[in-house]
Amino acid sequence: MTTPDSHAQIQVYQQDPADLKAWIKTQALELGFADCVIAKPDAQAELARLQEYLDRGYHGDMKFLEDNLEKRANPALLVPGTRSIICVRMDYLVEAPEPRYIPYAPNSAIIARYARGRDYHKIMRGRLKTLATKIRAKVGDFESRPFADSAPIFEKSLAESAGMGWTGKHTLLIHKKSGSFFVLGELFTSLDLPFDAPASKHCGSCTACIDICPTQAIVEPYMLDARRCIAYLTIEYKGVIPEDLRRGIGNRVFGCDDCQLICPWNSFAQVTSVEDFHPRHSLDQVSLLDLWQWDEATFLSATEGSPMRRTGYQSFMRNIAIGMGNAPFDEQIVRALHQQRAHHDEIVQVHIDWALQEQLAKSS
Ligand code: SF4
Ligand code: SF4
Protein backbone atom coordinates (compact mmCIF):
# COMPACT_ATOMS: atom_id res chain seq x y z
CA MET A 1 0.00 0.00 0.00
CA THR A 2 1.11 3.56 -0.58
CA THR A 3 2.46 5.38 2.48
CA PRO A 4 2.95 9.15 2.71
CA ASP A 5 6.72 8.59 2.60
CA SER A 6 6.73 6.36 -0.41
CA HIS A 7 4.28 8.65 -2.16
CA ALA A 8 6.77 11.46 -1.67
CA GLN A 9 9.51 9.26 -3.12
CA ILE A 10 7.44 8.60 -6.24
CA GLN A 11 6.76 12.29 -6.61
CA VAL A 12 10.47 13.06 -6.34
CA TYR A 13 11.48 10.33 -8.76
CA GLN A 14 8.78 11.13 -11.22
CA GLN A 15 10.18 14.54 -11.80
CA ASP A 16 11.80 12.63 -14.65
CA PRO A 17 9.28 9.95 -15.56
CA ALA A 18 10.94 9.37 -18.94
CA ASP A 19 14.07 8.19 -17.11
CA LEU A 20 12.01 5.92 -14.89
CA LYS A 21 10.28 4.45 -17.95
CA ALA A 22 13.63 3.76 -19.64
CA TRP A 23 14.92 2.17 -16.43
CA ILE A 24 11.81 -0.05 -16.13
CA LYS A 25 12.25 -1.24 -19.72
CA THR A 26 15.87 -2.16 -19.05
CA GLN A 27 14.83 -4.12 -15.95
CA ALA A 28 12.11 -5.93 -17.94
CA LEU A 29 14.61 -7.00 -20.60
CA GLU A 30 17.05 -8.13 -17.93
CA LEU A 31 14.31 -10.29 -16.42
CA GLY A 32 13.98 -12.08 -19.77
CA PHE A 33 11.02 -10.29 -21.31
CA ALA A 34 11.52 -9.80 -25.04
CA ASP A 35 9.88 -6.37 -25.07
CA CYS A 36 8.23 -3.90 -22.74
CA VAL A 37 5.98 -0.93 -23.53
CA ILE A 38 3.90 1.43 -21.42
CA ALA A 39 0.20 1.65 -22.29
CA LYS A 40 -2.49 4.10 -21.33
CA PRO A 41 -5.22 2.28 -19.36
CA ASP A 42 -7.85 2.89 -21.99
CA ALA A 43 -9.18 0.28 -24.42
CA GLN A 44 -12.50 1.96 -25.33
CA ALA A 45 -11.55 1.83 -29.01
CA GLU A 46 -11.69 -1.97 -29.00
CA LEU A 47 -15.21 -2.19 -27.65
CA ALA A 48 -17.13 -1.70 -30.91
CA ARG A 49 -15.15 -4.47 -32.59
CA LEU A 50 -15.76 -6.90 -29.73
CA GLN A 51 -19.46 -6.03 -29.74
CA GLU A 52 -19.68 -6.79 -33.46
CA TYR A 53 -17.83 -10.08 -32.90
CA LEU A 54 -20.25 -11.02 -30.12
CA ASP A 55 -23.31 -9.93 -32.14
CA ARG A 56 -22.21 -12.21 -34.95
CA GLY A 57 -21.87 -15.08 -32.45
CA TYR A 58 -18.25 -15.72 -33.49
CA HIS A 59 -17.22 -16.39 -29.88
CA GLY A 60 -19.12 -19.70 -29.81
CA ASP A 61 -19.23 -21.13 -26.30
CA MET A 62 -16.78 -18.56 -24.88
CA LYS A 63 -19.60 -16.82 -23.00
CA PHE A 64 -17.13 -15.18 -20.60
CA LEU A 65 -16.36 -12.74 -23.42
CA GLU A 66 -19.85 -11.29 -23.04
CA ASP A 67 -19.15 -10.23 -19.46
CA ASN A 68 -17.25 -7.31 -17.96
CA LEU A 69 -17.18 -5.22 -21.15
CA GLU A 70 -16.84 -2.00 -19.14
CA LYS A 71 -13.85 -3.40 -17.25
CA ARG A 72 -12.23 -4.48 -20.50
CA ALA A 73 -12.67 -1.01 -21.94
CA ASN A 74 -11.56 0.78 -18.79
CA PRO A 75 -8.81 -1.11 -16.90
CA ALA A 76 -9.12 1.29 -13.97
CA LEU A 77 -12.49 -0.34 -13.24
CA LEU A 78 -10.74 -3.70 -12.96
CA VAL A 79 -7.94 -2.36 -10.74
CA PRO A 80 -8.91 1.01 -9.22
CA GLY A 81 -6.10 3.53 -9.22
CA THR A 82 -4.43 2.17 -12.38
CA ARG A 83 -2.61 4.98 -14.15
CA SER A 84 -0.31 3.08 -16.49
CA ILE A 85 0.06 -0.48 -17.72
CA ILE A 86 3.44 -2.08 -18.29
CA CYS A 87 2.91 -4.53 -21.18
CA VAL A 88 5.50 -7.25 -21.75
CA ARG A 89 6.11 -9.97 -24.30
CA MET A 90 7.66 -13.44 -24.04
CA ASP A 91 8.62 -15.16 -27.31
CA TYR A 92 7.93 -18.88 -27.43
CA LEU A 93 9.56 -20.37 -30.55
CA VAL A 94 12.33 -22.76 -29.59
CA GLU A 95 13.93 -22.85 -33.03
CA ALA A 96 14.11 -20.48 -35.95
CA PRO A 97 10.86 -20.52 -37.91
CA GLU A 98 10.68 -22.19 -41.30
CA PRO A 99 10.83 -19.58 -44.04
CA ARG A 100 7.43 -20.77 -45.26
CA TYR A 101 4.68 -23.15 -44.23
CA ILE A 102 5.82 -26.76 -44.60
CA PRO A 103 3.19 -29.49 -44.11
CA TYR A 104 3.87 -32.15 -41.51
CA ALA A 105 4.11 -35.90 -42.09
CA PRO A 106 0.48 -37.09 -42.22
CA ASN A 107 0.65 -39.45 -39.22
CA SER A 108 2.32 -36.99 -36.91
CA ALA A 109 0.24 -35.11 -34.35
CA ILE A 110 0.61 -31.35 -34.50
CA ILE A 111 0.46 -29.45 -31.23
CA ALA A 112 0.56 -25.66 -31.29
CA ARG A 113 4.04 -24.43 -30.49
CA TYR A 114 3.12 -22.42 -27.39
CA ALA A 115 1.68 -25.55 -25.77
CA ARG A 116 4.54 -28.02 -26.17
CA GLY A 117 6.31 -27.07 -22.96
CA ARG A 118 5.22 -25.80 -19.55
CA ASP A 119 2.33 -23.43 -19.03
CA TYR A 120 3.73 -19.90 -19.29
CA HIS A 121 1.22 -18.15 -16.99
CA LYS A 122 3.09 -18.88 -13.79
CA ILE A 123 6.48 -17.72 -15.05
CA MET A 124 4.90 -14.63 -16.64
CA ARG A 125 3.21 -13.58 -13.39
CA GLY A 126 6.32 -14.42 -11.36
CA ARG A 127 8.53 -12.22 -13.52
CA LEU A 128 5.99 -9.38 -13.45
CA LYS A 129 5.95 -9.56 -9.65
CA THR A 130 9.76 -9.44 -9.63
CA LEU A 131 9.62 -6.40 -11.90
CA ALA A 132 7.19 -4.71 -9.48
CA THR A 133 9.52 -5.50 -6.57
CA LYS A 134 12.49 -3.93 -8.39
CA ILE A 135 10.50 -0.80 -9.22
CA ARG A 136 9.31 -0.57 -5.62
CA ALA A 137 12.90 -0.74 -4.40
CA LYS A 138 13.68 2.24 -6.60
CA VAL A 139 10.66 4.52 -6.23
CA GLY A 140 8.96 3.42 -3.03
CA ASP A 141 5.57 1.78 -2.62
CA PHE A 142 2.93 1.91 -5.33
CA GLU A 143 -0.08 -0.18 -6.33
CA SER A 144 0.54 -2.95 -8.85
CA ARG A 145 -1.10 -6.13 -10.10
CA PRO A 146 0.25 -8.65 -12.61
CA PHE A 147 -1.89 -10.40 -15.22
CA ALA A 148 -1.26 -13.10 -17.79
CA ASP A 149 -4.37 -13.94 -19.78
CA SER A 150 -6.18 -14.15 -16.46
CA ALA A 151 -8.78 -11.35 -16.35
CA PRO A 152 -11.12 -9.39 -18.64
CA ILE A 153 -8.40 -7.31 -20.30
CA PHE A 154 -7.96 -6.30 -23.94
CA GLU A 155 -4.35 -7.50 -23.81
CA LYS A 156 -3.61 -7.18 -27.51
CA SER A 157 -5.32 -3.84 -27.84
CA LEU A 158 -3.42 -2.30 -24.90
CA ALA A 159 -0.08 -3.64 -26.16
CA GLU A 160 -0.89 -2.45 -29.68
CA SER A 161 -1.79 1.03 -28.46
CA ALA A 162 1.74 1.29 -27.05
CA GLY A 163 3.66 -0.03 -30.07
CA MET A 164 4.15 -3.72 -29.20
CA GLY A 165 3.01 -4.44 -32.76
CA TRP A 166 -0.07 -4.19 -34.96
CA THR A 167 -3.07 -6.50 -35.23
CA GLY A 168 -2.66 -8.60 -38.36
CA LYS A 169 -5.49 -9.78 -40.57
CA HIS A 170 -5.40 -13.08 -38.62
CA THR A 171 -6.22 -10.94 -35.50
CA LEU A 172 -2.90 -11.66 -33.71
CA LEU A 173 -0.35 -9.05 -32.80
CA ILE A 174 2.73 -8.83 -35.07
CA HIS A 175 5.94 -6.91 -34.58
CA LYS A 176 8.07 -5.96 -37.56
CA LYS A 177 11.25 -7.22 -35.93
CA SER A 178 9.89 -10.21 -34.02
CA GLY A 179 6.85 -11.67 -35.78
CA SER A 180 3.87 -12.99 -33.80
CA PHE A 181 4.98 -16.08 -31.87
CA PHE A 182 4.76 -14.49 -28.44
CA VAL A 183 2.52 -14.27 -25.38
CA LEU A 184 1.61 -11.12 -23.48
CA GLY A 185 1.49 -10.10 -19.86
CA GLU A 186 0.60 -6.86 -18.05
CA LEU A 187 1.55 -5.11 -14.85
CA PHE A 188 -1.18 -2.63 -13.88
CA THR A 189 0.40 0.19 -11.88
CA SER A 190 -0.51 3.39 -10.09
CA LEU A 191 2.62 5.05 -11.50
CA ASP A 192 2.42 8.06 -13.79
CA LEU A 193 4.59 6.92 -16.68
CA PRO A 194 4.73 8.41 -20.19
CA PHE A 195 2.79 6.23 -22.64
CA ASP A 196 4.38 4.74 -25.74
CA ALA A 197 2.99 5.45 -29.20
CA PRO A 198 1.30 2.86 -31.44
CA ALA A 199 3.22 1.13 -34.26
CA SER A 200 2.20 1.44 -37.90
CA LYS A 201 0.39 -1.46 -39.63
CA HIS A 202 2.17 -3.54 -42.26
CA CYS A 203 -0.20 -6.18 -43.64
CA GLY A 204 -0.69 -4.20 -46.84
CA SER A 205 -2.34 -6.22 -49.62
CA CYS A 206 -1.16 -9.57 -48.19
CA THR A 207 -3.88 -12.17 -47.57
CA ALA A 208 -1.65 -15.20 -46.95
CA CYS A 209 -3.15 -16.04 -43.54
CA ILE A 210 -6.71 -15.79 -44.85
CA ASP A 211 -5.90 -18.01 -47.83
CA ILE A 212 -4.00 -20.69 -45.87
CA CYS A 213 -6.50 -21.13 -43.01
CA PRO A 214 -7.58 -24.78 -43.30
CA THR A 215 -11.13 -24.11 -42.06
CA GLN A 216 -11.66 -20.61 -43.52
CA ALA A 217 -12.00 -19.18 -40.03
CA ILE A 218 -10.74 -15.70 -40.96
CA VAL A 219 -14.02 -14.64 -42.49
CA GLU A 220 -12.76 -11.19 -43.47
CA PRO A 221 -9.58 -9.27 -42.72
CA TYR A 222 -9.26 -8.73 -38.96
CA MET A 223 -12.35 -10.84 -38.15
CA LEU A 224 -12.13 -14.43 -36.95
CA ASP A 225 -15.06 -16.79 -36.53
CA ALA A 226 -13.78 -18.78 -33.54
CA ARG A 227 -16.42 -21.44 -34.20
CA ARG A 228 -14.44 -22.38 -37.33
CA CYS A 229 -10.96 -21.89 -35.86
CA ILE A 230 -9.01 -25.06 -35.07
CA ALA A 231 -7.53 -23.45 -31.95
CA TYR A 232 -11.04 -22.95 -30.53
CA LEU A 233 -12.41 -26.27 -31.75
CA THR A 234 -9.56 -28.39 -30.39
CA ILE A 235 -9.01 -26.52 -27.11
CA GLU A 236 -12.05 -24.60 -25.90
CA TYR A 237 -14.93 -26.49 -27.52
CA LYS A 238 -16.08 -29.64 -25.76
CA GLY A 239 -18.83 -30.96 -28.03
CA VAL A 240 -19.15 -32.79 -31.35
CA ILE A 241 -17.06 -30.98 -33.95
CA PRO A 242 -19.13 -30.13 -37.05
CA GLU A 243 -18.47 -32.73 -39.72
CA ASP A 244 -17.76 -30.17 -42.45
CA LEU A 245 -14.77 -28.87 -40.43
CA ARG A 246 -13.18 -32.21 -39.53
CA ARG A 247 -11.15 -32.71 -42.72
CA GLY A 248 -9.78 -29.17 -42.44
CA ILE A 249 -8.51 -29.93 -38.94
CA GLY A 250 -6.15 -32.48 -40.50
CA ASN A 251 -3.70 -33.74 -37.88
CA ARG A 252 -3.78 -30.66 -35.63
CA VAL A 253 -4.70 -32.16 -32.26
CA PHE A 254 -4.21 -29.10 -30.03
CA GLY A 255 -4.35 -25.63 -31.51
CA CYS A 256 -3.07 -24.45 -34.87
CA ASP A 257 -0.18 -22.26 -36.01
CA ASP A 258 -0.84 -22.16 -39.74
CA CYS A 259 -1.85 -18.51 -40.08
CA GLN A 260 1.29 -17.55 -38.16
CA LEU A 261 3.60 -19.92 -40.04
CA ILE A 262 2.59 -18.46 -43.39
CA CYS A 263 2.94 -14.83 -42.28
CA PRO A 264 5.98 -13.25 -43.93
CA TRP A 265 6.73 -11.23 -40.81
CA ASN A 266 7.48 -14.43 -38.93
CA SER A 267 10.71 -14.81 -40.84
CA PHE A 268 11.80 -12.26 -38.21
CA ALA A 269 10.38 -14.23 -35.26
CA GLN A 270 12.78 -14.52 -32.34
CA VAL A 271 13.83 -17.67 -30.54
CA THR A 272 12.81 -17.81 -26.89
CA SER A 273 15.12 -17.48 -23.92
CA VAL A 274 12.49 -19.10 -21.68
CA GLU A 275 13.32 -22.72 -20.87
CA ASP A 276 9.65 -23.51 -20.03
CA PHE A 277 8.65 -23.31 -23.70
CA HIS A 278 10.92 -26.18 -24.70
CA PRO A 279 8.90 -29.28 -25.70
CA ARG A 280 8.32 -31.98 -23.13
CA HIS A 281 7.45 -35.63 -23.83
CA SER A 282 8.65 -35.17 -27.45
CA LEU A 283 5.46 -33.24 -28.18
CA ASP A 284 7.15 -31.64 -31.18
CA GLN A 285 7.53 -34.99 -32.93
CA VAL A 286 4.88 -37.35 -31.63
CA SER A 287 2.67 -39.59 -33.77
CA LEU A 288 -1.11 -39.84 -33.68
CA LEU A 289 -0.87 -43.53 -32.78
CA ASP A 290 1.47 -42.82 -29.86
CA LEU A 291 -0.97 -40.28 -28.39
CA TRP A 292 -3.94 -42.56 -29.04
CA GLN A 293 -2.38 -45.10 -26.64
CA TRP A 294 -2.49 -42.61 -23.75
CA ASP A 295 -4.98 -43.54 -21.05
CA GLU A 296 -6.36 -40.83 -18.79
CA ALA A 297 -3.65 -41.31 -16.15
CA THR A 298 -0.94 -40.92 -18.80
CA PHE A 299 -2.67 -37.81 -20.15
CA LEU A 300 -2.87 -36.29 -16.68
CA SER A 301 0.75 -36.98 -15.84
CA ALA A 302 2.10 -35.90 -19.26
CA THR A 303 0.13 -32.66 -19.21
CA GLU A 304 0.83 -31.67 -15.62
CA GLY A 305 1.80 -27.98 -15.68
CA SER A 306 1.05 -27.85 -19.43
CA PRO A 307 -1.53 -25.75 -21.33
CA MET A 308 -2.75 -29.03 -22.84
CA ARG A 309 -4.52 -29.89 -19.58
CA ARG A 310 -7.13 -27.32 -20.55
CA THR A 311 -8.75 -29.43 -23.22
CA GLY A 312 -9.35 -32.47 -20.97
CA TYR A 313 -8.70 -36.11 -21.79
CA GLN A 314 -11.85 -36.92 -23.74
CA SER A 315 -11.65 -33.82 -25.94
CA PHE A 316 -7.98 -34.56 -26.60
CA MET A 317 -8.89 -38.10 -27.71
CA ARG A 318 -11.67 -36.63 -29.87
CA ASN A 319 -9.07 -34.48 -31.62
CA ILE A 320 -6.72 -37.43 -32.15
CA ALA A 321 -9.57 -39.51 -33.57
CA ILE A 322 -10.15 -36.77 -36.16
CA GLY A 323 -6.43 -36.77 -36.99
CA MET A 324 -6.52 -40.54 -37.45
CA GLY A 325 -9.51 -40.23 -39.76
CA ASN A 326 -7.56 -37.73 -41.82
CA ALA A 327 -4.40 -39.87 -42.00
CA PRO A 328 -3.70 -41.97 -45.11
CA PHE A 329 -5.23 -45.47 -44.91
CA ASP A 330 -3.37 -47.59 -42.37
CA GLU A 331 -4.54 -50.94 -40.99
CA GLN A 332 -2.84 -50.15 -37.68
CA ILE A 333 -4.94 -47.01 -37.34
CA VAL A 334 -8.17 -48.85 -38.13
CA ARG A 335 -7.30 -51.53 -35.57
CA ALA A 336 -6.41 -48.98 -32.90
CA LEU A 337 -9.64 -47.04 -33.45
CA HIS A 338 -11.68 -50.23 -33.01
CA GLN A 339 -9.71 -51.36 -29.97
CA GLN A 340 -10.12 -48.13 -28.03
CA ARG A 341 -13.71 -47.33 -28.97
CA ALA A 342 -15.30 -48.82 -25.84
CA HIS A 343 -12.97 -46.83 -23.55
CA HIS A 344 -14.28 -43.44 -24.63
CA ASP A 345 -17.39 -41.35 -24.10
CA GLU A 346 -20.18 -40.87 -26.64
CA ILE A 347 -18.70 -37.70 -28.07
CA VAL A 348 -15.36 -39.36 -28.78
CA GLN A 349 -17.17 -42.37 -30.22
CA VAL A 350 -18.95 -40.14 -32.77
CA HIS A 351 -15.51 -39.06 -34.01
CA ILE A 352 -14.10 -42.59 -33.92
CA ASP A 353 -16.98 -43.79 -36.12
CA TRP A 354 -16.35 -40.91 -38.52
CA ALA A 355 -12.60 -41.67 -38.55
CA LEU A 356 -13.28 -45.33 -39.34
CA GLN A 357 -15.53 -44.32 -42.23
CA GLU A 358 -12.85 -41.98 -43.56
CA GLN A 359 -10.15 -44.65 -43.24
CA LEU A 360 -12.24 -47.32 -44.93
CA ALA A 361 -13.17 -44.95 -47.75
CA LYS A 362 -9.44 -44.62 -48.47
CA SER A 363 -8.72 -48.36 -48.24
CA SER A 364 -9.55 -49.32 -51.83
S1 SF4 B 1 -5.31 -20.75 -35.94
FE1 SF4 B 1 -5.55 -22.11 -37.73
S2 SF4 B 1 -7.76 -22.38 -37.94
FE2 SF4 B 1 -7.46 -20.60 -36.58
S3 SF4 B 1 -7.47 -18.85 -37.96
FE3 SF4 B 1 -5.32 -19.47 -37.79
S4 SF4 B 1 -5.02 -20.88 -39.51
FE4 SF4 B 1 -7.21 -20.67 -39.23
S1 SF4 C 1 -0.07 -13.23 -43.37
FE1 SF4 C 1 -0.14 -11.25 -44.36
S2 SF4 C 1 -2.22 -10.48 -43.96
FE2 SF4 C 1 -1.85 -12.14 -42.55
S3 SF4 C 1 -1.11 -11.16 -40.69
FE3 SF4 C 1 0.71 -11.73 -41.89
S4 SF4 C 1 1.16 -9.90 -43.14
FE4 SF4 C 1 -0.93 -9.65 -42.33
Side-chain angles (χ1 to χ4, degrees):
M1 296 299 291
T2 307
T3 63
D5 271 0
S6 62
H7 195 257
Q9 273 181 293
I10 294 173
Q11 294 306 315
V12 169
Y13 196 85
Q14 289 198 9
Q15 284 172 6
D16 197 349
D19 273 0
L20 177 58
K21 175 167 111 168
W23 180 85
I24 289 174
K25 289 188 176 196
T26 305
Q27 301 308 306
L29 298 185
E30 279 180 12
L31 281 171
F33 292 119
D35 198 6
C36 170
V37 295
I38 311 298
K40 185 177 174 187
D42 176 5
Q44 294 287 347
E46 192 61 28
L47 212 48
R49 189 145 198 88
L50 175 63
Q51 196 57 62
E52 164 132 33
Y53 175 82
L54 296 173
D55 291 346
R56 294 193 196 184
Y58 288 167
H59 57 310
D61 286 349
M62 296 184 287
K63 301 295 176 205
F64 60 88
L65 288 174
E66 297 170 9
D67 302 330
N68 296 309
L69 296 187
E70 304 80 13
K71 284 185 184 159
R72 283 182 193 279
N74 181 0
L77 292 178
L78 183 68
V79 181
T82 298
R83 301 180 69 86
S84 63
I85 300 179
I86 301 174
C87 301
V88 293
R89 180 188 105 209
M90 287 196 320
D91 298 324
Y92 61 78
L93 278 188
V94 297
E95 55 191 10
E98 300 289 354
R100 52 185 287 277
Y101 172 66
I102 296 175
Y104 274 66
N107 288 341
S108 65
I110 306 176
I111 290 161
R113 280 156 180 73
Y114 83 90
R116 295 174 182 177
R118 286 192 170 279
D119 195 311
Y120 72 90
H121 295 90
K122 216 163 134 188
I123 188 168
M124 175 72 87
R125 274 197 297 271
R127 285 185 178 183
L128 286 169
K129 277 186 195 164
T130 307
L131 181 60
T133 305
K134 284 177 160 230
I135 301 170
R136 208 161 273 125
K138 187 167 186 74
V139 305
D141 204 4
F142 67 99
E143 303 291 338
S144 72
R145 210 165 135 193
F147 293 100
D149 187 28
S150 50
I153 297 171
F154 281 130
E155 285 198 302
K156 271 186 295 175
S157 169
L158 289 169
E160 181 174 13
S161 74
M164 184 80 85
W166 77 93
T167 299
K169 290 179 188 173
H170 51 18
T171 74
L172 299 168
L173 211 58
I174 314 172
H175 191 281
K176 246 174 122 175
K177 293 187 179 152
S178 40
S180 62
F181 287 101
F182 54 79
V183 288
L184 297 171
E186 302 80 34
L187 186 69
F188 282 38
T189 86
S190 58
L191 297 172
D192 279 317
L193 296 170
F195 307 128
D196 285 306
S200 47
K201 292 178 177 283
H202 297 277
C203 279
S205 58
C206 175
T207 57
C209 54
I210 299 174
D211 302 338
I212 199 77
C213 176
T215 48
Q216 295 84 50
I218 308 169
V219 290
E220 61 191 68
Y222 313 105
M223 188 56 90
L224 183 88
D225 184 349
R227 298 167 305 177
R228 299 188 67 84
C229 175
I230 297 167
Y232 166 77
L233 290 169
T234 58
I235 301 172
E236 304 292 338
Y237 183 62
K238 303 295 174 216
V240 172
I241 293 184
E243 201 167 329
D244 64 319
L245 298 175
R246 291 182 202 157
R247 285 189 181 169
I249 289 173
N251 49 351
R252 298 166 193 82
V253 299
F254 188 93
C256 170
D257 289 329
D258 288 29
C259 52
Q260 297 194 80
L261 289 169
I262 197 74
C263 178
W265 293 105
N266 271 325
S267 52
F268 303 108
Q270 305 289 313
V271 172
T272 189
S273 61
V274 181
E275 187 60 31
D276 280 10
F277 286 119
H278 283 260
R280 301 191 301 165
H281 309 291
S282 306
L283 289 176
D284 54 337
Q285 46 188 359
V286 69
S287 80
L288 291 164
L289 271 169
D290 286 345
L291 292 180
W292 188 244
Q293 302 309 322
W294 282 11
D295 58 15
E296 188 159 10
T298 310
F299 172 81
L300 290 174
S301 94
T303 60
E304 195 172 351
S306 147
M308 288 171 59
R309 264 283 171 96
R310 188 176 176 86
T311 192
Y313 177 62
Q314 291 296 336
S315 295
F316 190 52
M317 289 296 129
R318 172 201 63 184
N319 302 342
I320 297 163
I322 292 177
M324 290 167 84
N326 287 324
F329 174 71
D330 183 337
E331 280 177 9
Q332 245 189 310
I333 286 183
V334 173
R335 227 178 3 257
L337 284 165
H338 276 302
Q339 278 167 357
Q340 299 289 331
R341 190 179 185 285
H343 300 143
H344 294 300
D345 70 14
E346 281 176 20
I347 291 180
V348 183
Q349 286 180 357
V350 168
H351 299 82
I352 292 176
D353 294 344
W354 174 84
L356 283 166
Q357 269 177 33
E358 292 289 294
Q359 278 286 316
L360 296 177
K362 288 180 266 195
S363 66
S364 48

